[in-house]
Amino acid sequence: MSLNRRLISAGFVDVDRAKRFMGAPELASLSEEELLSGFALSADPDQAVLALVRLAEREPAVLRLVGRGDRSMPLFRLLGASEALAEFLIRHPEHVSLLDREPDAVPTAVPPKRLREELLRAVGADPADRAPVAAAGGKEAYRDLRVAYRRWITDLAVRDLCAADPLEAMPRVGRELADLAAAAVEAGLAVARAEAAERFPAGDVAAVRLAVIGMGKCGAGELNYISDVDVVYVHEAEGIGDERAGAIAASLASGIARALGTPGVEPGLWEVDANLRPEGKDGPLSRTLDSHVAYYRRWAHSWEFQALLKARFIAGDAELGRAYEDAVAPMIWASSERDGFVESVQAMRRRVTDNIPAHEADRQLKLGPGGLRDVEFTVQLLQLVHGRVDESVRLRDTTGAIDALSEAGYIGRSDAADFDAAYRYLRVLEHRIQLVQLRRTHLMPVKEPALRALARAAQGATATARPTAAELAEQWQQTKKAVRQLHERIFYRPLLATAANLSTDEVRLTSEAAEARLKALGYVDPRGAMRHIEALTAGVRRRAALQRQLLPVLLGWIAQGVDPDAGLLGFRRLSEALGESHWYLGMLRDSRAGAERLCHVLANSRFITDLLEVSPESAAWLGDDKELTPMPFEQLWQENASKMRRHPRPDSAMRLVRLNRRREMLRVALADSAGLVDVDQIGRALSDADRAAVLGALRVAETEEFQTTPRATALLVVAMGRQGGREIGYGSDADVMFVHRPLEGADPQEAQQQAQRVVARLGQLLTQPLKPAVQAEPKLVVDAALRPEGKQGPLVRSLESYREYYERWVLTWEKQALLRARPIAGDDELAADFMGLVDSVRYAGDVTPHEVTEIRRVKARMEAERLPRGADPARHLKLGRGGLSDVEWMAQLLQLQHAARYPSLRTTSTREALRAIAAEGLLPAEDVELLDRAWSLATRIRSATYVCTGRPSDVLPRTYRDLEAVARWCGYPHGAASQLEDDYRKAARRARHVFERHFYGFDT
């Protein structure tokens, strides 16, 4: 194999550069085989070869470690993983001996006591002293401290990088990094004491006892290779005044930060961050223990107690540090009872994620969705919630806390194992990224060579295959997804109380923990949703207690809807309107079907939500299928008539009539949502509700008229169009014709005028504003455009006028319109006589070829002229290709032609007519089936559009959200909006093909 191929196999990217460095004089004593076998162990051979050349120039003895089998591993693993630590060895070649060791598959930890002693000795302090003081302060002390620290970081990195299983070793590595930081702080304090003695009397400095409390990852014992070290300072003093003691404590604290972080010949280690102290940057750098306790008791914010969860004494006066831990512990574990505690915690989490720069969001290991912070926040919240009463979960480190929460039953074992593995993997990636330059970063690299190097560095030392950048990216994405799912399941469903039919990982959802979960579940405005939840659960009344118990389940159901925000708002308004109603609370608690139905309609139907808000008592029907059964016309009219007798005033009577119609429309819609009625039953039920309202309006209008004018005529209202066929939707108008017959002896002119006044008043009564208003009422508009001569003809005609018109001037389209004529209100004898006349016209069976041509011409003109400009014919449910109009005109043409011969065709219903057409063999059964399918689906979509959006529309929705809502209402599964669109287009296309063949005769 050529050298180039061997270099590529070893992992080099820049082959020419690699050959040039391997040929450097510093490496002349080594063979290619020795070098290549070593570089193959490196995560980044290109980085390692340069570092080796430079290190060999400074310390030629390092070359003795090459070609020594496993003993070469520490050298190459370190040089290929950390440019910064290679630079340290180049600056301080005396520490190259750290690399001369046998690698440990399971690295052993250095005891914290030894680390403390080594770093104190590095600055000339006696580890045995109660308050060690460095031999001197200043830059030389800073240098000695930092070199000693980096010496032990290098030692730890070698052990970490040579581990067979980095994930298994990660918690021990994090703990030793925290212990090493604590030792550095202790040494920094020793230097600070030496420096303070130059500003203050030595006796005063000695009198001040300072304890350093580690916070964050340092306090938790899970520090990164490079990270700010969060601390809080507490001091006590005897024999000196408080002001002097505070000044000395502040000087010591500043001295620690100066020793560890200021620029110098040996670069600073990291920043010592005291911003988690009481009052943050605005508060004193150090406080007495009593001052800390007073602050936390009176003024601390909720998030500060979450921060204190990690608080641990790390340096300084041990007795004072332990006293601090003991003093704050009870407040930490009682903090979950504070008002708005978890909400505050969640707000802090939200602020963190909101502040992620957009260009970093997809690269964040720590702060982004599915990152380290998700795991840590989840675990910490569960600890704070349950640690109040369960001491077994009071641990500081994340992996230990996950295990404790699992053992205590707060997290399922499988979830805990997955959570732990994901956290360890993300932390190993974080460690390896930071090791390269020892810079504080949580961003995944972008370039492919860096990703490959990271993938190799994150492997165990004994792994042989080099993973690709794509494999690393895939594993990272899967880990983020797993963390996010577990985060949502655990963090946003805190285990506070058990709710029925939920797993142990899905128990009580508190208002404080809900916001991010709501957003993940589809709530567009989680903050608004939180307000609704708080309003629902606030207080100590029975309703609030029950809502707190049931909300985890209810919110899950609401979140399954298309518009969870509207659903939750509707649920809140409904709950507020019904208050402590026993039946409502009982339904939520005891009727799973009723509660689930309620959540479903609130999150999917604007129309139903609006009606429930003004008629909240109707929600009771959802728990009983019998209550959702639509009332037949006879029962509706009986109720209307009874109420009208008790309330004879026209406005009162009409208000009750219209309220009953609104109520029945709601009942039908609720039954529709529950899948208890089909398309045909919906049309019949809505038609019956309209008929009862029209009859009520006619009775009121007649009563008003006859109070001032003697009765001169009998009236009849005849339903036409889809109203006549009992095929209407939720937003349909009432197409009608008005007929009257003068009473015997009455003046025909007066009778005509009276009839006109009554029918005009009828239309007003159905739509005019009332006091009190009928809120959220879908107005019933009476439309008489299908009368003889259309809008040019008189609004109402006498029976004889109709007879004369139909005998002499009836047009073909008017015969066709009469196919849907059905009497719905008025005089029964007049109805029988008029329908006898109508039957003689519509079922005459004498349709001529010229009339067939005229029907086709009118249909073609309607397609060309009535379709709205710019409308897509493939999406228009009524007038588009294969839409409702095509199917209805096909059926009506055959009725006009054959109803005289086949009585089964004498029906106002389109679907009944289609069934009769198939039964009589007038069209092939398969063609009729295609027509029926298209008509049914279009009708269903029309009704669903109105129910979901609250707006009538004859067009298949274009926005995904509306289309998804309609699809779900039509019974499609979640995410099937495109499937509904495809199904309708296919059904309409096939129906149009049938229509063109049989209506226009295109195949003849």
Side-chain angles (χ1 to χ4, degrees):
M1 183 185 296
S2 68
L3 177 59
N4 283 2
R5 292 182 62 85
R6 294 173 68 193
L7 289 169
I8 293 172
S9 297
F12 283 96
V13 175
D14 190 337
V15 173
D16 292 336
R17 176 178 177 275
K19 289 192 291 186
R20 187 166 64 252
F21 281 124
M22 286 178 61
E26 291 82 358
L27 306 184
S29 63
L30 302 174
S31 68
E32 285 183 358
E33 185 62 36
E34 288 175 324
L35 288 171
L36 287 174
S37 62
F39 289 130
L41 300 172
S42 298
D44 186 348
D46 295 89
Q47 174 181 295
V49 68
L50 173 60
L52 183 60
V53 170
R54 295 182 61 206
L55 187 57
E57 182 182 12
R58 289 279 289 159
E59 180 54 74
V62 74
L63 300 180
R64 293 199 299 268
L65 301 178
V66 180
R68 298 180 62 186
D70 287 346
R71 207 170 180 87
S72 297
M73 183 183 292
L75 170 67
F76 288 100
R77 289 289 287 175
L78 183 75
L79 297 185
S82 180
E83 183 178 346
L85 290 180
E87 288 287 346
F88 169 71
L89 292 176
I90 292 168
R91 290 198 307 272
H92 301 281
E94 67 273 17
H95 295 301
V96 166
S97 59
L98 292 170
L99 306 177
D100 188 6
R101 65 203 301 168
E102 288 288 343
D104 292 330
V106 180
T108 56
V110 177
K113 181 180 179 181
R114 183 182 176 190
L115 295 174
R116 178 179 180 274
E117 291 173 349
E118 292 288 344
L119 265 68
L120 283 172
R121 291 193 182 103
V123 296
D126 185 352
D129 287 349
R130 185 171 181 273
V133 180
K139 295 180 180 180
E140 290 299 317
Y142 301 166
R143 176 189 176 279
D144 293 342
L145 191 163
R146 296 170 186 181
V147 169
Y149 175 88
R150 287 197 171 94
R151 181 256 183 241
W152 285 101
I153 278 286
T154 304
D155 182 84
L156 173 58
V158 168
R159 285 178 280 130
D160 183 13
L161 291 166
C162 292
D165 186 353
L167 270 65
E168 191 276 334
M170 187 280 296
R172 292 195 298 276
V173 172
R175 181 70 195 200
E176 188 167 329
L177 285 167
D179 291 339
L180 185 54
V185 171
E186 187 76 79
L189 177 57
V191 173
R193 288 192 183 103
E195 294 177 338
E198 298 175 3
R199 295 179 53 201
F200 302 97
D204 289 355
V205 174
V208 176
R209 299 160 54 211
L210 181 74
V212 184
I213 309 301
M215 306 288 281
K217 282 185 165 61
C218 183
E222 50 187 18
L223 198 61
N224 298 327
Y225 274 95
I226 186 69
S227 173
D228 292 349
V229 173
D230 296 314
V231 298
V232 168
Y233 298 106
V234 57
H235 71 269
E236 296 289 350
E238 296 179 2
I240 60 174
D242 292 343
E243 185 175 347
R244 171 57 67 92
I248 293 174
S251 176
L252 293 175
S254 299
I256 294 172
R258 192 167 52 248
L260 298 174
T262 56
V265 176
E266 183 68 23
L269 303 180
W270 20 257
E271 180 183 355
V272 179
D273 189 345
N275 288 335
L276 290 177
R277 67 186 184 271
E279 300 182 80
K281 293 180 180 179
D282 297 327
L285 196 54
S286 179
R287 290 173 180 258
T288 65
L289 180 57
D290 288 343
S291 178
H292 276 283
V293 171
Y295 173 84
Y296 288 124
R297 284 178 176 169
R298 298 185 60 182
W299 297 295
H301 297 285
S302 295
W303 64 264
E304 292 178 273
F305 292 103
Q306 185 185 16
L308 285 173
L309 179 65
K310 305 294 186 181
R312 174 176 66 96
F313 163 71
I314 61 170
D317 190 281
E319 182 181 350
L320 180 57
R322 304 302 179 205
Y324 178 92
E325 291 181 0
D326 293 342
V328 299
M331 292 184 280
I332 295 171
W333 301 114
S335 63
S336 62
E337 297 179 304
R338 292 167 57 96
D339 291 339
F341 169 75
V342 187
E343 182 183 17
S344 173
V345 171
Q346 183 60 7
M348 185 172 71
R349 171 74 180 115
R350 188 170 60 253
R351 285 195 298 272
V352 170
T353 56
D354 287 347
N355 290 329
I356 300 174
H359 65 281
E360 294 183 1
D362 293 336
R363 299 173 55 204
Q364 269 283 349
L365 273 170
K366 179 179 180 181
L367 304 179
L372 289 163
R373 189 58 62 88
D374 275 353
V375 180
E376 292 160 359
F377 265 63
T378 300
V379 172
Q380 290 168 28
L381 181 60
L382 285 172
Q383 285 181 279
L384 290 168
V385 169
H386 299 294
R388 182 175 62 86
V389 294
D390 190 341
E391 295 184 5
S392 70
V393 302
R394 297 181 181 180
L395 284 79
R396 295 185 179 92
D397 68 294
T398 302
T399 55
I402 292 173
D403 183 63
L405 288 164
S406 176
E407 287 297 319
Y410 300 117
I411 302 179
R413 292 187 181 278
S414 61
D415 285 348
D418 293 342
F419 221 29
D420 180 79
Y423 181 70
R424 289 173 185 245
Y425 176 70
L426 293 174
R427 286 298 305 275
V428 167
L429 291 181
E430 183 182 44
H431 282 181
R432 298 300 185 259
I433 291 170
Q434 292 182 347
L435 259 179
V436 178
Q437 298 293 341
L438 279 184
R439 290 179 183 167
R440 184 186 176 198
T441 179
H442 309 285
L443 299 179
M444 287 286 282
V446 176
K447 296 181 179 179
E448 185 168 334
L451 287 169
R452 286 203 303 268
L454 175 60
R456 179 69 177 102
Q459 281 186 311
T462 57
T464 55
R466 281 187 175 271
T468 65
E471 290 171 340
L472 172 69
E474 174 65 21
Q475 186 174 0
W476 179 44
Q477 293 300 327
Q478 289 179 354
T479 301
K480 287 201 300 181
K481 182 179 179 181
V483 168
R484 191 62 182 166
Q485 290 173 344
L486 289 164
H487 176 61
E488 291 162 4
R489 186 157 63 244
I490 299 169
F491 181 74
Y492 302 123
R493 304 184 187 189
L495 314 179
L496 300 179
T498 302
N501 298 318
L502 289 178
S503 72
T504 56
D505 284 338
E506 292 181 298
V507 259
R508 181 174 177 269
L509 178 64
T510 65
S511 61
E512 299 91 340
E515 188 168 318
R517 170 183 183 262
L518 295 171
K519 187 173 184 178
L521 289 172
Y523 289 84
V524 176
D525 181 14
R527 192 169 299 175
M530 278 298 304
R531 289 194 296 270
H532 302 322
I533 296 171
E534 289 165 3
L536 287 164
T537 58
V540 296
R541 298 181 67 88
R542 177 170 173 264
R543 182 186 71 184
L546 187 61
Q547 297 281 23
R548 287 193 292 269
Q549 179 186 355
L550 297 175
L551 267 177
V553 186
L554 302 179
L555 285 172
W557 288 334
I558 292 173
Q560 294 171 13
V562 175
D563 192 349
D565 298 87
L568 186 54
L569 173 60
F571 181 75
R572 174 185 172 181
R573 289 178 174 172
L574 189 65
S575 296
E576 290 173 345
L578 292 170
E580 302 289 327
S581 301
H582 69 279
W583 65 263
Y584 176 65
L585 299 177
M587 182 188 75
L588 294 179
R589 183 189 63 235
D590 302 328
S591 175
R592 178 185 176 90
E596 187 170 4
R597 285 171 177 174
L598 176 62
C599 295
H600 171 71
V601 298
L602 292 174
N604 288 285
S605 172
R606 175 68 178 272
F607 172 65
I608 295 179
T609 300
D610 289 346
L611 291 182
L612 281 175
E613 286 182 10
V614 297
S615 182
E617 68 281 353
S618 302
W621 302 336
L622 290 164
D624 187 348
D625 288 357
K626 292 180 180 179
E627 293 287 350
L628 292 176
T629 303
M631 294 176 66
F633 167 74
E634 292 76 13
Q635 187 176 350
L636 282 171
W637 173 239
Q638 184 178 7
E639 182 181 356
N640 279 354
S642 175
K643 289 181 177 180
M644 290 166 66
R645 284 193 297 269
R646 294 197 301 270
H647 301 275
R649 287 183 53 187
D651 55 346
S652 298
M654 278 312 302
R655 187 172 189 278
L656 293 171
V657 167
R658 287 162 61 174
L659 282 171
N660 278 0
R661 175 177 174 270
R662 186 190 71 182
R663 180 199 67 196
E664 289 310 305
M665 292 187 73
L666 175 57
R667 190 193 308 274
V668 175
L670 291 174
D672 185 5
S673 73
L676 300 178
V677 288
D678 58 23
V679 169
D680 295 336
Q681 292 169 319
I682 292 169
R684 289 195 292 268
L686 293 174
S687 295
D688 285 348
D690 285 358
R691 182 185 178 189
V694 170
L695 180 53
L698 178 60
R699 290 288 184 264
V700 171
E702 288 180 332
T703 300
E704 283 186 312
E705 174 67 23
F706 300 155
Q707 285 177 347
T708 59
T709 306
R711 182 173 183 177
T713 189
L715 274 163
L716 175 67
V717 183
V718 180
M720 303 291 286
R722 293 172 70 85
Q723 186 73 241
R726 302 178 75 194
E727 298 165 343
I728 65 170
Y730 295 100
S732 297
D733 293 342
D735 292 321
V736 299
M737 292 195 307
F738 298 110
V739 187
H740 82 99
R741 179 162 56 190
L743 299 180
E744 186 176 350
D747 183 298
Q749 186 65 27
E750 290 182 4
Q752 177 70 22
Q753 293 174 354
Q754 186 179 76
Q756 289 177 336
R757 289 195 298 271
V758 171
V759 300
R761 181 59 174 155
L762 181 150
Q764 294 174 357
L765 290 170
L766 289 169
T767 57
Q768 69 181 10
L770 297 172
K771 293 183 179 180
V774 181
Q775 296 179 338
E777 176 195 20
K779 296 291 179 61
L780 178 58
V781 178
V782 174
D783 186 348
L786 293 177
R787 64 187 183 271
E789 301 181 82
K791 294 181 179 179
Q792 305 303 316
L795 184 61
V796 58
R797 289 174 180 263
S798 68
L799 176 61
E800 292 306 315
S801 176
Y802 274 105
R803 190 184 307 279
E804 181 180 6
Y805 181 87
Y806 287 144
E807 289 176 354
R808 300 179 61 182
W809 299 296
V810 66
L811 300 176
T812 304
W813 73 265
E814 292 172 322
K815 292 182 181 180
Q816 184 180 350
L818 287 175
L819 289 169
R820 300 290 200 96
R822 177 176 64 90
I824 59 171
D827 187 87
D828 291 341
E829 292 185 7
L830 178 56
D833 292 344
F834 180 75
M835 293 311 298
L837 171 62
V838 167
D839 286 348
S840 69
V841 176
R842 61 185 177 182
Y843 301 144
D846 55 354
V847 181
T848 66
H850 172 75
E851 288 178 316
V852 172
T853 300
E854 176 66 12
I855 291 172
R856 290 171 174 168
R857 186 187 66 79
V858 172
K859 178 67 168 72
R861 188 181 69 188
M862 187 173 69
E863 291 178 5
E865 298 178 0
R866 291 187 59 191
L867 193 69
R869 180 175 297 181
D872 182 356
R875 302 183 70 87
H876 204 280
L877 303 168
K878 183 177 180 180
L879 302 176
R881 294 189 292 267
L884 295 167
S885 177
D886 281 358
V887 178
E888 290 167 0
W889 280 62
M890 182 73 258
Q892 290 163 14
L893 174 60
L894 293 173
Q895 285 180 287
L896 288 172
Q897 291 174 318
H898 302 288
R901 181 178 178 187
Y902 300 111
S904 60
L905 290 176
R906 299 174 188 177
T907 176
T908 62
S909 166
T910 300
R911 298 192 77 188
E912 288 181 9
L914 288 174
R915 286 191 287 270
I917 288 167
E920 302 298 348
L922 300 177
L923 286 182
E926 57 272 20
D927 287 353
V928 172
E929 183 178 350
L930 293 175
L931 293 172
D932 182 77
R933 184 179 304 164
W935 187 93
S936 300
L937 185 54
T939 300
R940 185 72 175 134
I941 291 172
R942 264 181 117 197
S943 290
T945 301
Y946 189 89
V947 168
C948 293
T949 67
R951 305 184 304 272
S953 176
D954 289 324
V955 180
L956 191 68
R958 285 191 176 277
T959 67
Y960 177 82
R961 183 165 184 162
D962 286 347
L963 189 60
E964 175 71 11
V966 169
R968 294 194 199 178
W969 197 265
C970 292
Y972 285 76
H974 291 201
S978 59
Q979 184 62 49
L980 169 66
E981 185 173 13
D982 291 345
D983 287 351
Y984 175 72
R985 285 176 174 270
K986 184 187 297 182
R989 186 171 60 250
R990 292 175 175 175
R992 180 67 180 188
H993 181 64
V994 172
F995 172 77
E996 290 178 344
R997 282 192 293 114
H998 297 292
F999 187 84
Y1000 288 121
F1002 284 174
D1003 62 341
T1004 59

